[in-house]
Amino acid sequence: MLDSIGLFSKGRSHKSQIYLLRSCRSSSGKTNDNNKKYPLFRSSKRFTSFKMRAVVVDKFGDESVLNVKEIAAPKPGPSQILVSVKAAGINPVDTYIRSGNYLPSRLPKLPYTPGGDVCGVIEAVGENVGSEFKVGDKVYSLLITASGAYAEKATVEETFTVKLHQGL
């Protein structure tokens, strides 16, 4: 007797495998320990995730307002670069903004993802981005991100982006 069906993902990269999990019960009502996993599809390198994990602030306050959520991944605008985040800077100004104790004209609209300093690998570039930046380049950006740095992916303006030196 079929008890439940569910989907789950194994892996978080472009090589992720999506499975169908089938759990069965015997006629006595006991769950069968031989749960079967049926591969539905394996994503290719061209597959781009539409969701990501990010720290989201829904209201201003202390550190308890920082929540990790799954949200839509940002898409780069014409002059923006999409970065797969490897490191994000945490600055005192981030705490002032999060608490609401900052210049009212500079407070972001809620909800928002905090962080302005980001380092990572280019995943995509906007159509107006110069030829200096290519997918796979290691880059960093200081002070401003369009989407917030406390996330798996962030969009940054080309003018605030610098390539990392080869040894870094």
Side-chain angles (χ1 to χ4, degrees):
M1 170 177 173
L2 183 63
D3 182 42
S4 64
I5 296 177
L7 293 176
F8 74 95
S9 173
K10 185 176 179 183
R12 293 200 49 90
S13 70
H14 65 271
K15 296 179 182 174
S16 293
Q17 177 80 41
I18 306 297
Y19 288 95
L20 173 70
L21 177 64
R22 192 176 120 191
S23 176
C24 297
R25 286 187 186 200
S26 65
S27 57
S28 66
K30 292 184 179 179
T31 302
N32 184 348
D33 288 335
N34 296 328
N35 293 335
K36 302 227 177 190
K37 299 174 191 168
Y38 299 94
L40 291 181
F41 69 88
R42 171 165 272 153
S43 59
S44 70
K45 288 188 177 187
R46 291 172 294 189
F47 177 77
T48 310
S49 176
F50 298 110
K51 296 276 189 178
M52 67 173 185
R53 289 177 300 162
V55 173
V56 177
V57 174
D58 292 313
K59 63 181 179 178
F60 296 114
D62 62 11
E63 63 277 355
S64 67
V65 302
L66 297 169
N67 297 300
V68 177
K69 294 183 177 182
E70 190 166 291
I71 62 171
K75 295 177 184 162
S79 62
Q80 294 179 336
I81 297 170
L82 179 64
V83 176
S84 176
V85 177
K86 303 301 178 195
I90 300 173
N91 295 297
V93 72
D94 296 332
T95 62
Y96 307 147
I97 294 169
R98 184 206 66 230
S99 66
N101 296 321
Y102 198 60
L103 300 170
S105 63
R106 300 286 311 268
L107 289 176
K109 292 180 183 174
L110 296 171
Y112 80 100
T113 297
D117 300 348
V118 65
C119 180
V121 178
I122 295 178
E123 218 175 83
V125 296
E127 64 262 12
N128 296 338
V129 173
S131 60
E132 175 187 356
F133 298 105
K134 294 179 178 38
V135 172
D137 287 348
K138 293 179 182 179
V139 295
Y140 68 94
S141 181
L142 299 175
L143 304 175
I144 298 173
T145 62
S147 61
Y150 299 3
E152 292 177 321
K153 299 176 187 191
T155 50
V156 295
E157 292 292 330
E158 176 186 19
T159 55
F160 296 109
T161 306
V162 180
K163 275 184 161 182
L164 280 172
H165 295 285
Q166 292 243 339
L168 298 175

PDB file of all heavy atoms in Angstrom, residues 3 7 32 52 57 59 94 105 123 147 152 159 161:
ATOM      1  N   ASP A   3       2.012   4.741   0.916  1.00  0.00           N
ATOM      2  CA  ASP A   3       1.749   5.611   2.058  1.00  0.00           C
ATOM      3  C   ASP A   3       1.974   7.068   1.713  1.00  0.00           C
ATOM      4  O   ASP A   3       1.162   7.913   2.025  1.00  0.00           O
ATOM      5  CB  ASP A   3       2.640   5.187   3.226  1.00  0.00           C
ATOM      6  CG  ASP A   3       2.392   6.025   4.465  1.00  0.00           C
ATOM      7  OD1 ASP A   3       1.222   6.304   4.768  1.00  0.00           O
ATOM      8  OD2 ASP A   3       3.374   6.411   5.110  1.00  0.00           O
ATOM      9  N   LEU A   7       9.191  14.637  -2.892  1.00  0.00           N
ATOM     10  CA  LEU A   7      10.343  14.998  -3.710  1.00  0.00           C
ATOM     11  C   LEU A   7      11.445  15.488  -2.796  1.00  0.00           C
ATOM     12  O   LEU A   7      11.182  16.139  -1.792  1.00  0.00           O
ATOM     13  CB  LEU A   7       9.986  16.119  -4.686  1.00  0.00           C
ATOM     14  CG  LEU A   7       8.995  15.797  -5.773  1.00  0.00           C
ATOM     15  CD1 LEU A   7       8.692  17.054  -6.573  1.00  0.00           C
ATOM     16  CD2 LEU A   7       9.535  14.724  -6.686  1.00  0.00           C
ATOM     17  N   ASN A  32       7.293   0.127   5.589  1.00  0.00           N
ATOM     18  CA  ASN A  32       8.332  -0.693   4.992  1.00  0.00           C
ATOM     19  C   ASN A  32       9.645   0.077   5.040  1.00  0.00           C
ATOM     20  O   ASN A  32       9.710   1.230   4.651  1.00  0.00           O
ATOM     21  CB  ASN A  32       7.934  -1.001   3.540  1.00  0.00           C
ATOM     22  CG  ASN A  32       8.903  -1.941   2.867  1.00  0.00           C
ATOM     23  OD1 ASN A  32       9.989  -2.202   3.366  1.00  0.00           O
ATOM     24  ND2 ASN A  32       8.499  -2.444   1.720  1.00  0.00           N
ATOM     25  N   MET A  52      17.300  30.413  -3.732  1.00  0.00           N
ATOM     26  CA  MET A  52      18.550  30.425  -2.977  1.00  0.00           C
ATOM     27  C   MET A  52      18.225  30.677  -1.516  1.00  0.00           C
ATOM     28  O   MET A  52      17.129  31.119  -1.182  1.00  0.00           O
ATOM     29  CB  MET A  52      19.485  31.523  -3.498  1.00  0.00           C
ATOM     30  CG  MET A  52      18.975  32.918  -3.234  1.00  0.00           C
ATOM     31  SD  MET A  52      20.206  34.144  -3.669  1.00  0.00           S
ATOM     32  CE  MET A  52      19.378  35.615  -3.103  1.00  0.00           C
ATOM     33  N   VAL A  57      15.630  40.190   6.555  1.00  0.00           N
ATOM     34  CA  VAL A  57      15.144  41.010   7.670  1.00  0.00           C
ATOM     35  C   VAL A  57      13.743  41.475   7.292  1.00  0.00           C
ATOM     36  O   VAL A  57      13.571  42.184   6.300  1.00  0.00           O
ATOM     37  CB  VAL A  57      16.074  42.218   7.919  1.00  0.00           C
ATOM     38  CG1 VAL A  57      15.493  43.135   8.978  1.00  0.00           C
ATOM     39  CG2 VAL A  57      17.463  41.741   8.312  1.00  0.00           C
ATOM     40  N   LYS A  59      11.606  42.933   9.679  1.00  0.00           N
ATOM     41  CA  LYS A  59      11.312  44.120  10.488  1.00  0.00           C
ATOM     42  C   LYS A  59      12.612  44.549  11.156  1.00  0.00           C
ATOM     43  O   LYS A  59      13.515  43.742  11.347  1.00  0.00           O
ATOM     44  CB  LYS A  59      10.228  43.826  11.529  1.00  0.00           C
ATOM     45  CG  LYS A  59      10.619  42.779  12.552  1.00  0.00           C
ATOM     46  CD  LYS A  59       9.505  42.506  13.531  1.00  0.00           C
ATOM     47  CE  LYS A  59       9.953  41.436  14.526  1.00  0.00           C
ATOM     48  NZ  LYS A  59       8.960  41.163  15.527  1.00  0.00           N
ATOM     49  N   ASP A  94      25.963  47.560   9.142  1.00  0.00           N
ATOM     50  CA  ASP A  94      24.898  46.575   8.909  1.00  0.00           C
ATOM     51  C   ASP A  94      24.013  46.424  10.144  1.00  0.00           C
ATOM     52  O   ASP A  94      22.803  46.249  10.031  1.00  0.00           O
ATOM     53  CB  ASP A  94      25.489  45.211   8.530  1.00  0.00           C
ATOM     54  CG  ASP A  94      26.240  45.238   7.210  1.00  0.00           C
ATOM     55  OD1 ASP A  94      25.904  46.072   6.347  1.00  0.00           O
ATOM     56  OD2 ASP A  94      27.169  44.426   7.052  1.00  0.00           O
ATOM     57  N   SER A 105      16.603  58.149   5.433  1.00  0.00           N
ATOM     58  CA  SER A 105      16.611  58.131   3.958  1.00  0.00           C
ATOM     59  C   SER A 105      17.453  56.994   3.394  1.00  0.00           C
ATOM     60  O   SER A 105      17.333  56.648   2.219  1.00  0.00           O
ATOM     61  CB  SER A 105      17.135  59.462   3.424  1.00  0.00           C
ATOM     62  OG  SER A 105      18.473  59.663   3.834  1.00  0.00           O
ATOM     63  N   GLU A 123      28.666  34.392 -11.938  1.00  0.00           N
ATOM     64  CA  GLU A 123      27.766  33.376 -12.481  1.00  0.00           C
ATOM     65  C   GLU A 123      27.100  33.849 -13.766  1.00  0.00           C
ATOM     66  O   GLU A 123      26.782  33.052 -14.637  1.00  0.00           O
ATOM     67  CB  GLU A 123      26.706  33.034 -11.433  1.00  0.00           C
ATOM     68  CG  GLU A 123      26.344  31.591 -11.403  1.00  0.00           C
ATOM     69  CD  GLU A 123      25.397  31.264 -10.275  1.00  0.00           C
ATOM     70  OE1 GLU A 123      24.180  31.474 -10.455  1.00  0.00           O
ATOM     71  OE2 GLU A 123      25.877  30.774  -9.241  1.00  0.00           O
ATOM     72  N   SER A 147      21.346  43.384  -4.254  1.00  0.00           N
ATOM     73  CA  SER A 147      20.417  42.413  -3.658  1.00  0.00           C
ATOM     74  C   SER A 147      20.763  42.007  -2.232  1.00  0.00           C
ATOM     75  O   SER A 147      20.003  41.288  -1.607  1.00  0.00           O
ATOM     76  CB  SER A 147      20.374  41.160  -4.534  1.00  0.00           C
ATOM     77  OG  SER A 147      21.659  40.572  -4.602  1.00  0.00           O
ATOM     78  N   GLU A 152      23.313  33.303  -0.952  1.00  0.00           N
ATOM     79  CA  GLU A 152      24.113  32.427  -1.799  1.00  0.00           C
ATOM     80  C   GLU A 152      24.518  33.111  -3.098  1.00  0.00           C
ATOM     81  O   GLU A 152      25.538  32.780  -3.686  1.00  0.00           O
ATOM     82  CB  GLU A 152      23.336  31.142  -2.106  1.00  0.00           C
ATOM     83  CG  GLU A 152      23.145  30.270  -0.893  1.00  0.00           C
ATOM     84  CD  GLU A 152      22.323  29.033  -1.154  1.00  0.00           C
ATOM     85  OE1 GLU A 152      21.329  29.098  -1.911  1.00  0.00           O
ATOM     86  OE2 GLU A 152      22.680  27.967  -0.595  1.00  0.00           O
ATOM     87  N   THR A 159      30.378  48.966 -11.850  1.00  0.00           N
ATOM     88  CA  THR A 159      31.259  50.056 -11.409  1.00  0.00           C
ATOM     89  C   THR A 159      31.837  49.835 -10.013  1.00  0.00           C
ATOM     90  O   THR A 159      32.859  50.423  -9.682  1.00  0.00           O
ATOM     91  CB  THR A 159      30.513  51.405 -11.426  1.00  0.00           C
ATOM     92  OG1 THR A 159      29.328  51.290 -10.651  1.00  0.00           O
ATOM     93  CG2 THR A 159      30.167  51.823 -12.842  1.00  0.00           C
ATOM     94  N   THR A 161      32.672  46.716  -8.881  1.00  0.00           N
ATOM     95  CA  THR A 161      33.219  45.368  -8.894  1.00  0.00           C
ATOM     96  C   THR A 161      34.666  45.381  -9.364  1.00  0.00           C
ATOM     97  O   THR A 161      35.017  46.083 -10.307  1.00  0.00           O
ATOM     98  CB  THR A 161      32.376  44.465  -9.826  1.00  0.00           C
ATOM     99  OG1 THR A 161      31.014  44.544  -9.421  1.00  0.00           O
ATOM    100  CG2 THR A 161      32.825  43.024  -9.745  1.00  0.00           C
TER     101      THR A 161
END
